[in-house]
Amino acid sequence: MTSVQDAEAPAGEVVLEAQGLTKHFPVRRGLRDLFNRRDRAAVHAVDDVHLILRRGRVTALVGESGSGKSTVARLLAQLYPRTDGDIKLHGTSTRVRGGRNFRRYAARVQMIFQDPFASLNPVHTIRYHLTRALKIHGNAGTNAAELEQALHDVLNRVSMTPPERYLDKFPHELSGGQRQRVAIARALGANPEALLADEPVSMLDVSIRLGVLNLLRDLKERLNLAILYITHDIASARYFADDTMVMYAGRMVEGGDSETVTQSPAHPYTKLLIDSAPDPDRLLGELEPDTRDRGNGEPPSLINPPAGCRFHPRCPMAGPRCETELPVPLVIGDKPGHWAACWLYDEQGVGR
Ligand code: ATP
Ligand code: SF4
């Protein structure tokens, strides 16, 4: 068995690293009764996730609805307390939480949400939103002229030019794409090193998705940002991300460079995701809301997740070993960094 630790790492300084990240949401009483559980049942939303974000690279996190992607992003943004594991910023643990530590962390790691309308307050202008972000993070300068310059700079960075055309508008006066650009500008107001983008284009018209993804890619290059790109659309991961991680039922199942993961997938679940995309050659075409219901069966309950490999009830390749033993990440082929958590790639196989 070859450990994934032996695999060659891609270039780029590590900004953020999750180690064994775990989040279990306690189940409320009504649901406990429904599942006939008298113990302290929990939704196993994220289990033992390892993830690295590097400077100047986009990492896609791909999976069906409910696989735990947003929970990973919220954990990385420290919006949720974690059940277990650690998050390191430049190698420094974030286990010790505290007001000042958190503010420093929040400036370095910014989140962009799926719905730009919901994330902007409708009663305030763009100027208000951006000024607030700049001031909170100490980037507003020392006088009115410096603040105005900083406002212009963040809007220029997201190609909203000339800035004065947009600064005094309200969110409802902008298009969906422009609102998402403002949300990105607001995140940039913190001068971050990492952006966590949770389905940043899925609520936008198909015609403007590419523009927003190209903007993020441009920012990655110009500002040397580490970007986490969460999506249920594996085709867009191929187009946009340098690396792709695939998540199933709260666990990471495959990872590697995007070209390899999308063109030579190893894990049966990744293959299913690719096969169930409406048109494998289209990049950002007619996206479905998610890929649920189109594969072989349904994702499992995360209150009682299957033992062994969580994918085994749906997996066409499953053997007896898969029902009892949790697969470990294994190096695949000779592509640096490509791994899959699947017993098919272990010398002992799936145990037929
Ligand atoms: P989507 O693409 O639909 O957003 P996702 O892959 O981002 O899905 P999550 O939103 O992270 O998945 O949810 C993972 C699991 O955790 C789901 O079963 C969800 O119901 C559960 N979950 C998420 N947030 C909470 C919460 N606050 N309390 C209880 N359960 C939650
Ligand atoms: Fe399928 Fe077994 Fe591999 Fe899981 S470990 S994906 S069940 S073959």
Side-chain angles (χ1 to χ4, degrees):
M1 190 187 296
T2 319
S3 159
V4 76
Q5 310 295 343
D6 303 332
E8 201 178 304
E13 181 197 342
V14 174
V15 176
L16 205 59
E17 181 169 7
Q19 298 175 332
L21 202 56
T22 299
K23 179 68 182 176
H24 296 170
F25 293 105
V27 174
R28 277 169 296 149
R29 210 166 138 218
L31 275 176
R32 276 211 306 267
D33 294 343
L34 194 67
F35 282 84
N36 210 12
R37 297 279 298 257
R38 295 283 168 261
D39 55 350
R40 298 184 60 173
V43 177
H44 294 230
V46 171
D47 263 316
D48 197 23
V49 158
H50 295 258
L51 183 76
I52 288 178
L53 299 184
R54 293 174 189 276
R55 254 188 213 290
R57 284 185 89 79
V58 175
T59 302
L61 183 54
V62 183
E64 286 164 303
S65 185
S67 56
K69 308 180 298 295
S70 296
T71 305
V72 168
R74 286 178 156 81
L75 288 168
L76 288 176
Q78 296 202 61
L79 300 179
Y80 289 155
R82 50 202 181 247
T83 306
D84 204 358
D86 198 6
I87 298 163
K88 291 184 172 170
L89 180 63
H90 291 297
T92 302
S93 169
T94 55
R95 277 187 207 275
V96 183
R97 284 192 69 164
R100 198 179 294 168
N101 285 347
F102 178 71
R103 264 203 303 282
R104 228 179 278 138
Y105 183 90
R108 304 271 70 87
V109 181
Q110 283 281 304
M111 189 147 171
I112 297 161
F113 296 92
Q114 184 174 18
D115 182 355
F117 206 55
S119 69
L120 297 172
N121 188 331
V123 303
H124 289 303
T125 61
I126 306 313
R127 177 186 295 280
Y128 173 90
H129 285 95
L130 298 180
T131 300
R132 195 158 176 269
L134 288 164
K135 283 192 171 164
I136 286 173
H137 297 289
N139 298 323
T142 54
N143 56 45
E146 284 180 12
L147 170 62
E148 200 63 20
Q149 185 59 51
L151 289 167
H152 280 232
D153 286 348
V154 284
L155 280 179
N156 278 326
R157 277 195 193 146
V158 297
S159 303
M160 291 184 77
T161 51
E164 51 274 21
R165 183 186 295 166
Y166 302 103
L167 272 170
D168 295 310
K169 286 201 161 36
F170 289 88
H172 74 268
E173 296 180 277
L174 303 179
S175 69
Q178 288 170 338
R179 284 196 288 265
Q180 194 60 300
R181 284 172 191 264
V182 170
I184 295 168
R186 182 174 56 179
L188 296 180
N191 199 15
E193 292 177 79
L195 286 183
L196 310 172
D198 188 358
E199 307 245 19
V201 297
S202 64
M203 293 190 73
L204 306 181
D205 284 349
V206 169
S207 58
I208 54 175
R209 287 177 182 174
L210 205 54
V212 172
L213 286 187
N214 285 341
L215 166 68
L216 285 170
R217 188 155 61 186
D218 180 53
L219 290 173
K220 169 197 88 165
E221 278 155 20
R222 276 194 294 143
L223 305 180
N224 209 14
L225 292 172
I227 297 182
L228 179 69
Y229 169 59
I230 290 182
T231 180
H232 56 261
D233 177 41
I234 197 159
S236 73
R238 179 187 166 201
Y239 164 76
F240 175 52
D242 302 286
D243 305 304
T244 292
M245 312 278 288
V246 182
M247 205 170 172
Y248 181 76
R251 289 189 176 278
M252 293 292 184
V253 297
E254 181 163 0
D257 73 80
S258 297
E259 187 67 14
T260 306
V261 171
T262 57
Q263 296 305 290
S264 315
H267 197 282
Y269 174 63
T270 313
K271 291 179 185 174
L272 173 71
L273 266 188
I274 290 167
D275 289 348
S276 58
D279 174 2
D281 288 331
R282 69 99 180 87
L283 293 177
L284 291 156
E286 300 297 320
L287 299 186
E288 300 288 326
D290 62 45
T291 53
R292 200 166 35 180
D293 296 335
R294 273 189 268 122
N296 172 21
E298 289 281 319
S301 154
L302 293 182
I303 296 178
N304 278 315
C309 174
R310 288 188 179 174
F311 190 55
H312 84 253
R314 295 172 76 183
C315 181
M317 312 300 289
R321 188 181 186 193
C322 308
E323 294 170 21
T324 53
E325 271 186 69
L326 179 68
V328 295
L330 298 166
V331 171
I332 306 295
D334 55 4
K335 287 281 184 180
H338 188 200
W339 62 270
C342 173
W343 290 131
L344 287 173
Y345 303 95
D346 180 52
E347 285 149 15
Q348 294 171 41
V350 297
R352 290 184 196 285

